[in-house]
Amino acid sequence: MAPRTRILDAAMLVFRRHGFRRSSIEQAAEAAGLTRQALYHHFKSKEALFRAVIERLHEEALAAEIAAAGAAEKQGGSLADILVASVSAKLGQLAASLDGSPHVEELFSEHLLQARDLYQKYAAAYADQLDTTITRVCRKQGLALNAGMTPRDLARCVEMAVNGAKSAYPAMQPAGPFLKDLEIMLRTLIAGAVGPAKPPRGAKPKPAKKTDQKADKKSTRKPGDRR
């Protein structure tokens, strides 16, 4: 295992156990089996170490989102199925990383204080990924967004639904009920946002298929009727 990976794994355990404020570089170094000086070779401060942990969490969450969207799409899921799977995977990954820690709310709070730029960076990355997924799925499945909405608009609405669910579940805990309520919100939102794609202007409707009159007459004959 690479030294940086070992340090981040150890730091995650320390932050989960003690929270950010009560954790120290010495604790992280001991958990990683390193001296304090060796850890300082990789990270100059506790804040820098915490930021690296947060960045890795976001990278893992983004990868989980992309993988879940791809899997749901391969299984023939609807747009709602695909978006619910991708968003749930992302948030589930983040929630699971801190699950069981008595300092979850503190860690999320410090996340915004110590790494607000990372929060903004990955919020934009998540929005871009949603936009890309919505655009691709609508094109493949022949869907159109209602009321002049764009894929970016729908992605923004999805994020607002996530934020609304978070307000009812601080730090996304408990994770199970949080994700269940979020799924209900997302499916309701998406059901009202999409419909079948409209045919291009000037396109003539396809003529109805002509029925075979002879076949129809033959099928209506009763036994014993003369030919």
Side-chain angles (χ1 to χ4, degrees):
M1 182 184 295
R4 181 181 175 88
T5 301
R6 187 172 66 185
I7 292 170
L8 292 179
D9 287 345
M12 187 69 213
L13 291 175
V14 170
F15 289 133
R16 281 168 54 100
R17 186 176 302 150
H18 303 290
F20 174 78
R21 299 185 191 95
R22 294 186 179 182
S23 295
S24 67
I25 283 287
E26 289 79 7
Q27 290 169 332
E30 182 180 355
L34 300 172
T35 65
R36 184 176 63 176
Q37 289 74 18
L39 193 148
Y40 274 127
H41 178 72
H42 296 275
F43 299 99
K44 295 181 179 180
S45 65
K46 181 177 76 169
E47 290 74 18
L49 180 58
F50 184 70
R51 283 174 57 86
V53 168
I54 292 300
E55 185 165 26
R56 188 173 73 165
L57 290 181
H58 279 301
E59 284 292 334
E60 292 172 347
L62 184 59
E65 178 180 20
I66 293 171
E73 194 171 344
K74 285 182 179 179
Q75 292 172 1
S78 65
L79 178 62
D81 294 333
I82 294 166
L83 294 186
V84 166
S86 63
V87 173
S88 296
K90 174 190 74 175
L91 297 176
Q93 180 74 29
L94 290 172
S97 65
L98 301 176
D99 188 37
S101 170
H103 306 285
V104 174
E105 292 190 29
E106 179 204 336
L107 291 171
F108 272 105
S109 176
E110 289 295 333
H111 167 205
L112 295 178
L113 289 174
Q114 304 293 337
R116 180 170 291 276
D117 58 322
L118 292 177
Y119 173 82
Q120 294 170 340
K121 170 186 173 181
Y122 284 97
Y126 296 137
D128 288 342
Q129 181 57 37
L130 275 176
D131 185 353
T132 299
T133 299
I134 293 167
T135 300
R136 183 181 66 252
V137 174
C138 284
R139 183 178 65 250
K140 286 185 176 180
Q141 298 187 2
L143 302 174
L145 299 180
N146 297 328
M149 181 178 285
T150 67
R152 176 65 70 171
D153 293 333
L154 180 54
R156 182 168 175 270
C157 289
V158 168
E159 285 303 319
M160 286 192 289
V162 171
N163 291 333
K166 284 180 180 178
S167 68
Y169 293 89
M172 301 186 289
Q173 298 294 326
F178 163 70
L179 292 174
K180 184 62 179 176
D181 282 355
L182 177 60
E183 178 178 354
I184 294 171
M185 292 175 65
L186 291 180
R187 289 189 180 279
T188 303
L189 167 66
I190 296 163
V194 300
K198 296 179 180 179
R201 289 184 179 182
K204 295 181 180 180
K206 293 182 179 180
K209 292 182 178 180
K210 294 182 179 180
T211 57
D212 189 335
Q213 294 182 353
K214 291 182 179 181
D216 288 344
K217 289 179 179 179
K218 186 176 180 179
S219 63
T220 56
R221 286 183 184 143
K222 297 179 180 179
D225 286 350
R226 293 183 180 179
R227 296 194 177 188

